[in-house]
Amino acid sequence: FQPISSSELAARRGPQVYSHLKILRELGFVESEPLGRNRIYRTTDTFAEYFGLSNDPAKIRLWFEHHLGRMERNPIPPSKGE
């Protein structure tokens, strides 16, 4: 879900996200650009390489299509109590 605004991240993860983003920027794992009073964040190639992921949107889309198709063929049963 990227790019994503700092306000959206804070709404999802809480105000501590700002200190996390600072650390991630210092590590070179995320980059940002200003957008009005917010900043827009996205992961970097450094992040993708470190975690063995692709930062190519086309490859990410193919990965999801492949794995979501597999989940549709073999759905995860609901847990007890649902």
Side-chain angles (χ1 to χ4, degrees):
F1 298 80
Q2 50 177 321
I4 189 166
S5 70
S6 54
S7 59
E8 178 68 21
L9 283 168
R12 290 181 184 205
R13 305 297 302 166
Q16 74 279 5
V17 76
Y18 296 107
S19 62
H20 299 162
L21 287 169
K22 180 181 179 199
I23 294 167
L24 291 169
R25 286 182 71 192
E26 289 170 355
L27 292 170
F29 283 174
V30 297
E31 58 190 14
S32 68
E33 60 189 60
L35 181 67
R37 295 180 60 184
N38 275 309
R39 294 194 75 75
I40 300 296
Y41 287 87
R42 65 182 50 80
T43 57
T44 63
D45 290 338
T46 302
F47 176 92
E49 289 171 15
Y50 184 86
F51 290 103
L53 305 170
S54 173
N55 221 17
D56 178 355
K59 288 182 181 178
I60 294 169
R61 187 176 305 110
L62 287 172
W63 185 92
F64 274 106
E65 288 172 357
H66 172 77
H67 286 83
L68 289 177
R70 186 182 311 161
M71 287 180 68
E72 289 172 359
R73 290 188 300 275
N74 298 309
I76 300 171
S79 62
K80 293 179 182 179
E82 286 187 26

